[in-house]
Amino acid sequence: MPDLEPMPTDWQRALAIVAHPDDLEYGASAAIAGWTDAGKTVTYLLASRGEAGIDSMPPHESGPLRAAEQIAAAAIVGVDVVEFLDHPDGVIEYGLPLRRDLATAIRRHQPELIVTINHHPSFPGGFLNMADHRNVGNATLDAVRDAANRWVFTDAGEPWSGVRWVAVAGSPLATHAVDVTETLDRGIASLKEHAAYLAALGGPMAEPEGFLRTIAEQTGERFGTPLAASFELIPM
């Protein structure tokens, strides 16, 4: 019996909120490709430009390069709107400024579904998570409520209470999944667009084909399809 449920499909607009370029490409983008193929609108919002992510390249060079790589990666899976908040990579702080920025974007884009990065202390397998991911994920959950309350951030647009779910990618507490058998190749191609980052990264995570396919196969075994991408789905 599969232990992951199908993700809901009765929605039209999603906003994907993550910390860095490449966060969505480590699994979620294959699901996003299927959603855009089905005619749904997905917008990307990144808290930073990933400018501290390449040790051999100074931030003033790395930031624009990584932003360009993210825009190219998004296009492969049918996303043509990519926004950056320019919080400082590596030291993104949970707090009112971040919550305000996220609530403003939620009110402006009016999503029904929000996709975000894992906010838990670790990833599946016990690998420790980093502060940027945790802070952006937790701020996203809070910003959904902020966006719905007209008396919070009153100068940040009209309230939006239409977010029905937050889907957490890379969560160790996954509850739902999407069949990506037909779209994994595009998800892999989207990760490959982060060429400069991957070249500097090294290790298994720098090999998109093997890394993503292995995870998709393991998730597919839990979901009952050849390949799948998992999410922790939080009703709002």
Side-chain angles (χ1 to χ4, degrees), residues 144-166:
V144 172
R145 289 191 176 90
D146 295 337
N149 189 333
R150 71 172 59 254
W151 307 121
V152 174
F153 305 135
T154 56
D155 58 347
E158 288 297 308
W160 173 251
S161 58
V163 177
R164 298 163 66 190
W165 312 275
V166 174

Side-chain angles (χ1 to χ4, degrees), residues 2-27:
D3 64 353
L4 294 172
E5 298 180 30
M7 281 281 290
T9 58
D10 57 332
W11 55 272
Q12 186 58 38
R13 296 181 307 280
L15 179 63
I17 302 173
V18 293
H20 318 105
D22 81 77
D23 283 349
L24 289 165
E25 283 67 49
Y26 277 103

Side-chain angles (χ1 to χ4, degrees), residues 28-121:
S29 64
I32 290 168
W35 294 333
T36 60
D37 284 352
K40 301 180 187 302
T41 299
V42 182
T43 299
Y44 285 6
L45 179 70
L46 285 84
S48 80
R49 295 178 185 262
E51 67 274 7
I54 299 178
D55 184 69
S56 60
M57 187 178 296
H60 72 275
E61 296 178 8
S62 177
L65 174 60
R66 297 203 65 201
E69 289 183 340
Q70 180 61 79
I71 291 168
I76 287 177
V77 296
V79 175
D80 56 11
V81 177
V82 181
E83 300 177 354
F84 300 90
L85 294 175
D86 291 323
H87 286 256
D89 181 23
V91 290
I92 300 173
E93 294 183 303
Y94 176 92
L96 293 180
L98 180 59
R99 282 171 52 188
R100 177 191 295 274
D101 286 347
L102 298 183
T104 301
I106 291 168
R107 288 172 175 176
R108 179 158 44 85
H109 291 290
Q110 300 187 340
E112 300 151 86
L113 172 70
I114 287 181
V115 178
T116 193
I117 192 65
N118 179 22
H119 60 290
H120 298 293

